[in-house]
Each structure stands twice: as C-alpha cells, then as structure tokens.
Amino acid sequence: MAEMGSLKTILVLIPLLPLVAAAVAGLLRKPIGRAGAHWVTILGVAVSFGLSAYVLYLQVAANLGTVNLTVYTWMVSDGIRFEVGFLVDHLTALMMTVVTFVSFMVHIYTVGYMAEDPGYQRFFSYIALFTFSMLMLVMSNNFLQLFFGWEAVGLVSYLLIGFWFKRESAIFAGLKAFLVNRVGDFGFLLGIAAILYCFGTLDYAETFARANGIAGRTVTLIPGLEWQWITVICVCLFIGAMGKSAQAPLHVWLPDSMEGPTPISALIHAATMVTAGIFMVARMSPLFELSDAALSFVMLIGAVTAFSMGLVGVVQNDIKRVIAYSTLSQLGYMTVALGVSAYSAAIFHLMTHAFFKALLFLGAGSVIIALHHQQDMRFMGGLRKQMPVTWITAWIGTLALIGFPFMAGFYSKDAIIEAVHESTRFGSSIAYWAVLLGVVVTSFYSFRLLYLTFHGKPRYTVDVGAGDHPPDGIVQHAPHESPLVVTVPLVLLASPSIVIGYLTIGPVLFGGWLSDSITILPQNDVVAAVGQHFHGASAMAMHAVQTAPFWLMIAGFVLATVIYLLRPALADQLQQKMPGLHRLLENKFYVDEFYQKVFVARILGIGNRLWDKVDAGLIDGWIVNGSGRLVGALSARVRVWQSGYLFQYAFAMIVGLIVILAFWVMLK
C-alpha cells in the first residue's frame, strides 16, 4: 500500500511540476527575473523527466505492469463518474519519457535561442504549460481527462504559434491552427459523446471491456444507409486525430506554425501535439480493431498525407518549412501503420522520429541564429566550416530521417513499409506504393536541405554596416557556431537518433513490449508476420541493401547530389521545363486557396451580412438607437408640459386626482 502511495505521488508530480513551474514563471516574472524563469521551468521539467524515466525503469526492470489510479472524482451524474486519473502501462511510460526528455532539451536550447527576446519569461511559461498539457493527455485513464489535455494542448499551441503577436503572419498562423483544430476537435467530441451514449462510461477500461457488445449495433445516419456504431465512433475519433496530427485535409495549419519561435516548432513537431493523434488511435486500438472500414479510412488518409506532403517539401525554400513538411510526411507513415493494425510500429516510429525531428528543428534554429534570423535556404550555403557541430548533427538527423541502415529512423520506417506490404486490408496496395515512393521523396528533399544550407559556396554577403534589418542575402557578422547552450542539446539528441532504434526494435516492436497497451486481432497482426523474418537489429540493417527502400533512398540521394551539389544550375532548368508541376507544388495543391474560397469566404460573407442586418441594422439600428430615438421623441412632446410654474403643476395634480376619483366611483 505504501509503495502504491509513493507511486501515486510520483505520478501526480510528473505533470504537476511543469504546471507549477509555468505558473511561477508566468505570474512571478518581476520577483524571479529572466534567470529565475528559465531555472524554475528547466528544473521542473528535468525532475519530471527523471521521474518519468524512473517509471519507465519500473516497467522494464521491475515489471510494474498496468497501474490504473483514480486521483480525484470530480462528479458523479446518473452513475457516470467524471474523474481525474492515471493509466500507466508500457505505452504511457514510453510517451512520458519521450515528451519530458524532448521538452527538457528544448527548454535548455531556449535559453540561447530566446536570449534577446522581450517575451523571454512568457515563452518559458508557455512551453512548460505545453508540457503539462501533453502529459495530462498521455497519462489519462478516461475520455474526460483525455479531452482536457487535448484541448489544453490546442490552446497553448495557439499562444505559442502566435507568440510574436506583433507580426500579422503570426496572428494569422495562430488563428489558423486554432480554427482548423476546432474542426477536428468537433469530430473528436462527437466520438466521445457516442462512446458515452453506447457504453455509458468515460473510463477506458470499462469502455474496452464492453467494446465487443456493440460490435453489431447499427445506426441510421442517412435515411436508407446504416452504419455500425463502432465505425462511427472510430471515424469521429480519427477526425480529431486528423486535426491534431495534421493529416490531409486538416494539415494546412502545421506548415504555418513555423511562424512561432524555433524551439516551439521542435516541441510541436517532435513530442507534443502532432503525436497526440497517433497516441490516441494506438490507445484506442481495442475499438479500432473492431472496424475494418475505419482502419481502411485511417490508412488511406495517412498514405495521401505521406506522399503528397513529401512532394510539397521538395519545392520549399524556408528551412523550417522543409522540416515541417517532412513532419507531415512522417506522420502519414505513422497513420498508415495505424491503419494496417501495426500500432506498435507507429509508436516505435513516433519515438524515433521525436529524437531526430527535434534534432533537425533545433539544428535549423542554430543556423537561423548564425545568419541573424535568415530562414531562406537560397541565402545560405557553405556553413559546414563555420558551424561544424551543427553540420555534423544535421547530417545525423538527416540520415535518421531518410532511413539509412543502423540509424534510428531506418528500423521504424522499414518496419512500417514491411507491415503495410504484409497487410491485405482494403487499400493496402495503394498505401504500400505511397510509403514506398515516399522514401525517394524524403531522401531528395532532406539532402536538398543539407546541400543548400551547409555545402557549396556561400550565397550571403557579410556587411558590417548593413544596419539592423539588412535585406536578404546580407548579414552583419560572419556566421559562427552557436553557444554551448544550443549545441549541447543537439549532441544529446543526436545520440539517440543513432542508437535508439538499434537498441529497442527487438523488445518494443517484436518482443510484445506494448502488448499490455495495444489490442490486435490475430488475423490483423502484420507486425507478427514481419517479425517472423526478424533475426536481430544488425541482420536487419545488413539485409537492407537487398530491399527496395534502400535503393530508393540512394536514388533520392543521387538526384539531390547531382542537382544541388554537382550541377546547381540544373534546378532552375528543371523548374523552367516543368512550370505547371512546380506551381502546383509551390501552391501546396491549392488546398489553402480552396478553403479560402469555399469555406472562409462564404463564412465571412455570411458573417458580414449578419453583422450588417442583425447587429448594425436590428440591434444597433432599431433596438439601441431606436429606443434612444423613441425616448427622445416622447421627451420632446412631454417637455412642453414642464413650464416651471408651481400653480400649473398643482392644477395638473388636482385634475389628475379628480379623474382618478371619477374612475374609482364608476368602477365601484
């Protein structure tokens, strides 16, 4: 009992420490100062990471098992309990450790990146609050708390994306992220409402235990068309995941989130928010396994996102946007894995991706610092000599991203591709070709980024007298390596980007380590089918040279090397030869334009008409101003009776009294 009590204390402290740190940094800015703000948040997240790692240790070494704790019962209504609680199993322990570690690195990195920003303390408060929100989401044992964490993550992302609120582009990006996520969250809320209606509970364990009982129940959503309740629930839940994890067509907010400072870009893209949808679907595997239709929908959405967003990344010039589109593509890979019931492969890729994607974003931030906030790769080049640590770590992150053998991303990405190949689910052949061709696209844009940023001749000019806001291509000082507070997190993230896949693929993916968290029907277990050919991490890497993904990766590398390193003029020539394709990709398949014309413009038109007719016309014109005019008109007529003579007022009172008495006598 004492041990359970101490564990409960630890679990409460893990999300509570970042929350307290956020409150202190945000509310006590003057007493603690700038140094106090970063120290309190860094220590809070560091201790949270240490406790999370301890819980992971208990799961691995001490066989802690599944722990389901209720911390606080908020309300009981009609037998339904609304609680705050924690569900700690292997999946939760893994997510807690990844979230807190990446957040810890981002906090340290922020000390250097945001050193001169006037919103320094406010930013630390926000990112600590972001960490708290994500922890509440992944640790929840019920849908109420899940929804709280889900919405809290969305709210704080709005604050962080629009952090530089004096920029119109940042305001627009924050609002766009908030509204697009509300579209997905509406579906998510409908899914939770359907769960409450069908199961009569919000608790995970009770819901999963009753899942088989509604497998055959149907509902008529459209006259003449029946849907299974389980399919409706899963599709609605996944719509929420489409918003949070930026799956097409609800992906448009993620590239624009680059308007926020680079540390939050790393946190959003690596460990928080975008991973929430992937985690949620994996957690809900007992429900999704009962609906092949929902899983096919998930798989095809992921396939479209993985391939199409990679293509868009090929033509981007903003260094952060290239990495952002790579995030969209990799999230597509995870979603495809979920759709073929390879939930463990999706979580495995989520883990490896968190390390190398945070590394790439923080590396991009290091370059941006060196070039005085220049983000256009067309004005970079030749930085490998001036920034050796950033260059080496960027290469490590890139090799992990493209799936080079022995690197972290190789094991998770190849496992997903093989799992999709083993699947016989409807649409799996389309998904297989999408993730397979996505390999060459990923390799191409990744090496394009490396070559344009670090290799070739410098495409910038150093001009000491250029002023505070020099034009593109001109910097005030020669670029140099970033300080230790920036490079140390890069090195610490580079290490797991190399070894984490090699060390963990056996137990996490093929050893059944996540079997206490994930439910898979025997006929859907594609990971087990892939595991029959697994003979160790080294053998898998050595065998890679005989597989299609390896040679597609090499093809992307060769193409990028020829076009952007050996013959740089070839890039412009290809663009001129294929202007239509380039324009299509540059405009991101015109999805934003479609939304602006079809939805935004019409909604604004309706809003403007309502404002004109209802607000300005009815409320202001008739009710507010009309009542004022009516009172004025009545006052003008009554005013003539106000003569100021006492005898006239006395005469009026006598006449009024006589009239009242007359009425009284008549009525009596």
Side-chain angles (χ1 to χ4, degrees):
M1 187 64 69
E3 293 181 358
M4 186 59 67
S6 60
L7 179 62
K8 185 176 181 179
T9 303
I10 291 172
L11 295 178
V12 170
L13 285 174
I14 289 172
L16 187 62
L17 287 171
L19 176 63
V20 172
V24 172
L27 301 176
L28 303 177
R29 286 183 290 180
K30 289 185 179 180
I32 65 174
R34 291 168 67 90
H38 70 238
W39 275 114
V40 71
T41 51
I42 289 173
L43 287 173
V45 175
V47 175
S48 182
F49 164 63
L51 294 175
S52 299
Y54 176 68
V55 173
L56 181 63
Y57 166 78
L58 293 178
Q59 289 287 1
V60 175
N63 196 24
L64 179 64
T66 301
V67 179
N68 195 345
L69 293 175
T70 298
V71 177
Y72 175 72
T73 300
W74 176 45
M75 181 175 65
V76 179
S77 176
D78 196 24
I80 301 169
R81 302 180 68 86
F82 299 86
E83 299 174 336
V84 176
F86 299 130
L87 173 63
V88 180
D89 51 17
H90 288 101
L91 176 59
T92 305
L94 180 65
M95 289 295 298
M96 286 160 51
T97 307
V98 171
V99 169
T100 51
F101 176 74
V102 174
S103 179
F104 181 36
M105 295 296 103
V106 168
H107 275 71
I108 297 173
Y109 179 93
T110 301
V111 175
Y113 190 88
M114 301 290 287
E116 300 177 0
D117 196 284
Y120 186 82
Q121 295 162 279
R122 178 165 57 95
F123 188 81
F124 273 101
S125 177
Y126 286 173
I127 58 176
L129 187 61
F130 206 31
T131 307
F132 157 76
S133 303
M134 191 65 188
L135 287 170
M136 290 296 289
L137 190 156
V138 301
M139 296 174 68
S140 63
N141 69 348
N142 62 86
F143 288 95
L144 176 68
Q145 187 176 328
L146 173 69
F147 189 72
F148 166 79
W150 196 269
E151 293 301 311
V153 165
L155 172 62
V156 184
S157 71
Y158 168 76
L159 299 174
L160 286 164
I161 294 169
F163 181 78
W164 287 320
F165 54 84
K166 293 183 179 180
R167 299 181 183 175
E168 288 191 12
S169 57
I171 297 171
F172 178 80
L175 185 61
K176 187 177 183 180
F178 188 81
L179 293 177
V180 173
N181 272 276
R182 296 294 74 72
V183 174
D185 292 352
F186 180 68
F188 189 62
L189 187 59
L190 288 177
I192 294 176
I195 287 172
L196 183 60
Y197 173 77
C198 292
F199 299 102
T201 181
L202 292 173
D203 185 78
Y204 288 170
E206 294 179 9
T207 300
F208 299 157
R210 302 171 188 176
N212 288 322
I214 70 157
R217 289 175 58 184
T218 60
V219 59
T220 303
L221 299 178
I222 302 172
L225 183 62
E226 288 190 341
W227 286 61
Q228 288 191 348
W229 264 115
I230 194 68
T231 299
V232 173
I233 290 171
C234 292
V235 169
C236 287
L237 292 176
F238 181 67
I239 290 173
M242 288 169 62
K244 279 290 182 288
S245 294
Q247 296 297 289
L250 300 181
H251 67 281
V252 293
W253 68 270
L254 191 61
D256 288 350
S257 70
M258 298 301 98
E259 290 294 334
T262 299
I264 193 54
S265 299
L267 199 54
I268 287 177
H269 287 245
T272 60
M273 192 153 179
V274 296
T275 61
I278 307 300
F279 165 80
M280 184 273 293
V281 175
R283 174 64 78 193
M284 302 300 143
S285 60
L287 302 180
F288 279 85
E289 279 295 286
L290 300 176
S291 177
D292 282 338
L295 287 173
S296 288
F297 177 67
V298 171
M299 176 180 58
L300 291 173
I301 290 291
V304 171
T305 306
F307 184 63
S308 62
M309 295 301 105
L311 288 175
V312 176
V314 169
V315 301
Q316 298 297 310
N317 295 313
D318 186 303
I319 186 172
K320 287 174 65 177
R321 283 185 176 265
V322 175
I323 305 173
Y325 278 102
S326 85
T327 300
L328 285 169
S329 182
Q330 297 308 304
L331 288 168
Y333 275 83
M334 300 176 206
T335 305
V336 168
L338 295 171
V340 298
S341 297
Y343 307 99
S344 56
I347 296 298
F348 186 49
H349 194 49
L350 184 157
M351 176 187 67
T352 61
H353 176 264
F355 296 115
F356 63 73
K357 185 51 55 73
L359 172 61
L360 288 171
F361 264 114
L362 298 187
S366 178
V367 171
I368 293 168
I369 294 172
L371 294 176
H372 308 285
H373 298 281
Q374 175 61 259
Q375 297 183 194
D376 196 325
M377 296 186 297
R378 293 172 294 184
F379 304 105
M380 299 180 183
L383 292 174
R384 62 185 179 90
K385 295 180 180 179
Q386 294 93 336
M387 307 181 71
V389 177
T390 303
W391 171 59
I392 293 171
T393 53
W395 263 92
I396 292 172
T398 298
L399 292 175
L401 172 62
I402 66 172
F404 192 80
F406 289 101
M407 304 297 287
F410 160 76
Y411 293 102
S412 54
K413 185 185 286 186
D414 269 39
I416 289 174
I417 294 172
E418 291 302 316
V420 177
H421 187 250
E422 291 288 340
S423 178
T424 58
R425 180 161 287 134
F426 174 79
S428 59
S429 57
I430 298 173
Y432 176 69
W433 282 105
V435 296
L436 198 62
L437 294 174
V439 173
V440 66
V441 176
T442 302
S443 179
F444 182 81
Y445 68 64
S446 298
F447 282 107
R448 174 178 178 264
L449 183 148
L450 275 179
Y451 294 148
L452 290 178
T453 305
F454 296 102
H455 296 265
K457 296 180 180 180
R459 294 179 297 279
Y460 57 86
T461 303
V462 179
D463 186 356
V464 178
D468 295 333
H469 302 286
D472 288 334
I474 299 183
V475 294
Q476 288 181 288
H477 308 286
H480 56 82
E481 187 60 89
S482 299
L484 285 176
V485 73
V486 172
T487 56
V488 167
L490 295 180
V491 174
L492 293 176
L493 286 166
S495 301
S497 298
I498 299 172
V499 302
I500 194 71
Y502 182 90
L503 297 176
T504 59
I505 183 172
V508 174
L509 200 55
F510 302 117
W513 196 70
L514 293 173
S515 59
D516 65 332
S517 315
I518 291 169
T519 299
I520 306 175
L521 298 178
Q523 64 269 25
N524 296 337
D525 199 351
V526 291
V527 173
V530 175
Q532 293 177 359
H533 308 289
F534 179 74
H535 303 290
S538 298
M540 182 177 176
M542 297 298 291
H543 177 70
V545 297
Q546 304 177 29
T547 63
F550 176 82
W551 292 107
L552 288 171
M553 176 197 66
I554 296 297
F557 162 73
V558 172
L559 283 172
T561 303
V562 171
I563 296 173
Y564 294 100
L565 192 62
L566 302 179
R567 296 180 61 188
L570 190 57
D572 292 331
Q573 295 174 11
L574 290 172
Q575 180 179 336
Q576 293 172 5
K577 289 182 179 180
M578 296 181 288
L581 178 61
H582 186 271
R583 196 180 307 112
L584 179 67
L585 297 179
E586 194 172 42
N587 288 281
K588 301 160 285 188
F589 299 104
Y590 295 97
V591 176
D592 283 277
E593 287 78 3
F594 174 78
Y595 286 161
Q596 286 290 335
K597 290 182 179 180
V598 176
F599 296 108
V600 177
R602 293 185 178 181
I603 292 171
L604 285 176
I606 294 171
N608 287 329
R609 284 194 292 272
L610 288 173
W611 168 81
D612 185 47
K613 301 297 183 182
V614 178
D615 188 29
L618 177 61
I619 298 175
D620 288 343
W622 284 94
I623 298 177
V624 178
N625 297 333
S627 61
R629 287 193 296 268
L630 177 63
V631 171
L634 292 174
S635 300
R637 287 166 172 77
V638 175
R639 194 180 298 123
V640 297
W641 298 93
Q642 302 298 319
S643 64
Y645 294 110
L646 183 62
F647 72 89
Q648 290 183 351
Y649 299 155
F651 179 74
M653 290 174 63
I654 292 170
V655 171
L657 183 60
I658 292 171
V659 171
I660 293 171
L661 288 172
F663 271 104
W664 182 76
V665 172
M666 289 172 62
L667 291 172
K668 194 172 180 180

